[in-house]
Amino acid sequence: MRARVSAMFGGAGGPLTGGMTQKQGTSGTGWVLGTATVAMGLVAGVFYVFACAIMPALARSDDREFVEVMRNINDVIQNPVFFLSFMGALVLSGVAAWQSRGTPYRGWVWAGLVAYGLAFLVTVAFNVPLNNGLADTADVGVARERFEGAWVGWNVVRAGLATVGVGCLVRGVVVYGGFRRGVR
């Protein structure tokens, strides 16, 4: 009987109840978690590059150049490739969190989802409205004054949150790998 139970549950072994109640995960689960981690890493990287390079470089520009470049960036970033990672990180992390219920790595996946969800909310509640205000203000000096400090600050917040989210998902992937191998 034990041999049949072990074979039925992918070699989980142990008593019948242990094999039936513990989720061993599937390759689909690993794929979703891995893809969520990559997507979130890409978005965190975008926020990081803005914080470390783009905005400090633009700070050296005059008002007209600053506003023109930021308006151009805000236009071109609205594309299917960016939206696939920006939205995909949230959706895939949500799916991964749902799939991880009852597993030892679930806390890491949920923490990653919450951190990225907060970064997503910061983007929607603060950065996007600031982008829209920059586009709608005719006087470039006024536009920059209303935009730059607030946008940079909120970008640092979302970069930090997204980076924490990636770290949590990476830890979730590591624990998931151990879980799949039966390492507790």
Side-chain angles (χ1 to χ4, degrees):
M1 177 74 171
R2 183 178 285 277
R4 274 192 271 177
V5 169
S6 180
M8 285 175 29
F9 294 102
L16 179 62
T17 57
M20 294 176 99
T21 59
Q22 292 179 353
K23 294 180 184 188
Q24 290 297 316
T26 65
S27 61
T29 300
W31 184 88
V32 171
L33 180 55
T35 306
T37 304
V38 169
M40 194 180 296
L42 290 170
V43 176
V46 169
F47 298 160
Y48 176 79
V49 168
F50 268 96
C52 292
I54 295 171
M55 298 312 289
L58 284 176
R60 297 177 175 186
S61 302
D62 65 35
D63 293 347
R64 184 193 57 75
E65 290 170 332
F66 177 93
V67 171
E68 181 181 345
V69 170
M70 279 308 301
R71 285 175 177 168
N72 288 336
I73 290 171
N74 291 335
D75 285 341
V76 299
I77 203 162
Q78 296 181 47
N79 66 72
V81 175
F82 178 74
F83 282 131
L84 185 62
S85 56
F86 182 66
M87 299 297 291
L90 186 64
V91 171
L92 290 168
S93 296
V95 171
W98 179 79
Q99 289 177 329
S100 72
R101 65 198 188 285
T103 67
Y105 58 92
R106 73 184 173 275
W108 291 108
V109 178
W110 279 97
L113 173 62
V114 168
Y116 185 76
L118 291 171
F120 188 91
L121 287 174
V122 165
T123 301
V124 171
F126 300 105
N127 293 91
V128 170
L130 286 164
N131 292 344
N132 294 339
L134 186 70
D136 295 338
T137 305
D139 183 317
V140 293
V142 171
R144 181 176 185 171
E145 186 178 321
R146 291 179 183 167
F147 176 85
E148 187 175 18
W151 195 94
V152 167
W154 286 114
N155 182 66
V156 169
V157 170
R158 69 184 182 167
L161 287 166
T163 302
V164 167
V166 172
C168 290
L169 289 189
V170 167
R171 182 64 183 151
V173 167
V174 170
V175 176
Y176 168 81
F179 180 63
R180 291 276 297 160
R181 289 186 310 278
V183 177
R184 304 269 186 246

